[in-house]
Amino acid sequence: MPMPRPVLLIFTDLDGTLLDHETYSHEAAAPALEALRGAGVPVILASSKTAAEIAPLRADLGLAAHPAIVENGAGILEPGAEAPRTGSRYRALRTALNQVPAPLRQRFRGFGDGGAHWIADATGLAPEAAALAAQRLYSEPGIWSGSEAEKTEFLAALRAQGVSGREGGRFLTLSFGASKAGQMAEIAARYSTPYMVALGDAPNDREMLEQADQGFIIANPHRAPMPPLDGEETGRIQRIAAAGPKGWNQAVLQVIADFGI
């Protein structure tokens, strides 16, 4: 069902962008968030987090009336929805994974293989947070322990079943191919495609930033700077020197001023 067309639409990554990298606080972004809520501008969370992780955070931010992009674009958490416990797409993904030849399959240990305790060890998450990260609906992150040649064979076997793999900082994530940018376009269409602003700090935000009418790269001192993106030369994509929610607040207040909100 089409939503009322807002003046603009904000798509934002979470960790290291709207949330502080160390404390996970969004306090420094409070002024801009309050201004957006007052103006009726939807803020769409877009993260690698699961629906189980995002649902309570979205409610805490006062954004439950808007959809959210979960598992790096592999799915959407609908407005007002709680996270389902299981999903048919994840079951189909696990089935495809287990049809890969055994010598290759055993080189990949996914979240569904390791369980919450293993996820906590692999990610550094607290046990409660790891349990939420284990509640997957659309994608399967994991650690590859084989050679590059074996990984090429592994991914080819999965592609034959419609499954694609994306490399992250540590994890190889499998899904049926959806992306943040693709979900961004679908959600924007619900709002009759207003002016779109995107904010992110990492390479997995690149497609989203480049697709937006205006993109902001938020500084992240904990990783190497993102490479140049299409649109930076014209100013359509800008880099913000401040990190995390402080940089997010600065960028969004700039947008608010530009739009006269």
Side-chain angles (χ1 to χ4, degrees):
M1 180 178 180
M3 308 287 283
R5 192 175 196 270
V7 176
L8 55 90
L9 206 54
I10 306 286
F11 291 86
T12 179
D13 177 52
L14 286 171
D15 293 353
T17 302
L18 179 55
L19 303 182
D20 183 86
H21 183 85
E22 298 287 348
T23 66
Y24 297 103
S25 170
H26 57 269
E27 184 178 353
L33 280 169
E34 184 62 31
L36 292 173
R37 281 193 292 264
V41 174
V43 177
I44 313 299
L45 306 181
S47 172
S48 60
K49 293 182 183 295
T50 63
E53 292 172 285
I54 285 184
L57 177 60
R58 182 175 68 171
D60 181 56
L61 288 165
L63 303 175
H66 312 306
I69 299 170
V70 303
E71 295 185 36
N72 234 3
I76 291 175
L77 178 65
E78 295 296 343
E82 294 297 325
R85 281 283 181 175
T86 60
S88 59
R89 294 294 280 173
Y90 183 68
R91 290 193 294 272
L93 182 59
R94 291 285 302 178
T95 297
L97 177 59
N98 290 329
Q99 289 175 355
V100 170
L104 297 174
R105 172 65 181 90
Q106 65 189 13
R107 298 293 192 184
F108 178 82
R109 188 171 195 185
F111 278 24
D113 300 316
H117 291 297
W118 178 82
I119 293 170
D121 289 339
T123 61
L125 290 171
E128 300 81 8
L132 296 179
Q135 292 182 34
R136 312 207 67 80
L137 299 174
Y138 309 103
S139 65
E140 180 73 329
I143 293 177
W144 178 256
S145 60
S147 68
E148 285 299 311
E150 287 174 318
K151 183 164 66 176
T152 298
E153 290 183 56
F154 174 73
L155 292 174
L158 287 168
R159 274 197 303 274
Q161 301 181 74
V163 176
S164 62
R166 283 194 172 213
E167 297 276 5
R170 181 174 185 190
F171 298 110
L172 172 63
T173 300
L174 310 178
S175 73
F176 285 106
S179 67
K180 281 186 179 182
Q183 302 291 16
M184 178 181 175
E186 195 277 330
I187 289 173
R190 300 184 189 186
Y191 293 91
S192 303
T193 315
Y195 190 90
M196 294 183 292
V197 175
L199 303 99
D201 72 307
N204 63 358
D205 299 317
R206 178 172 191 148
E207 293 174 352
M208 183 174 74
L209 291 166
E210 291 182 337
Q211 183 166 296
D213 297 300
Q214 178 71 64
F216 292 96
I217 301 170
I218 306 301
N220 186 334
H222 301 278
R223 68 168 79 238
M226 284 181 68
L229 304 190
D230 292 340
E232 282 196 70
E233 289 186 359
T234 62
R236 187 174 59 82
I237 294 177
Q238 300 176 34
R239 293 182 184 255
I240 302 297
K246 183 178 180 181
W248 194 95
N249 191 68
Q250 180 182 325
V252 172
L253 288 179
Q254 176 183 319
V255 172
I256 288 171
D258 290 345
F259 274 78
I261 295 173

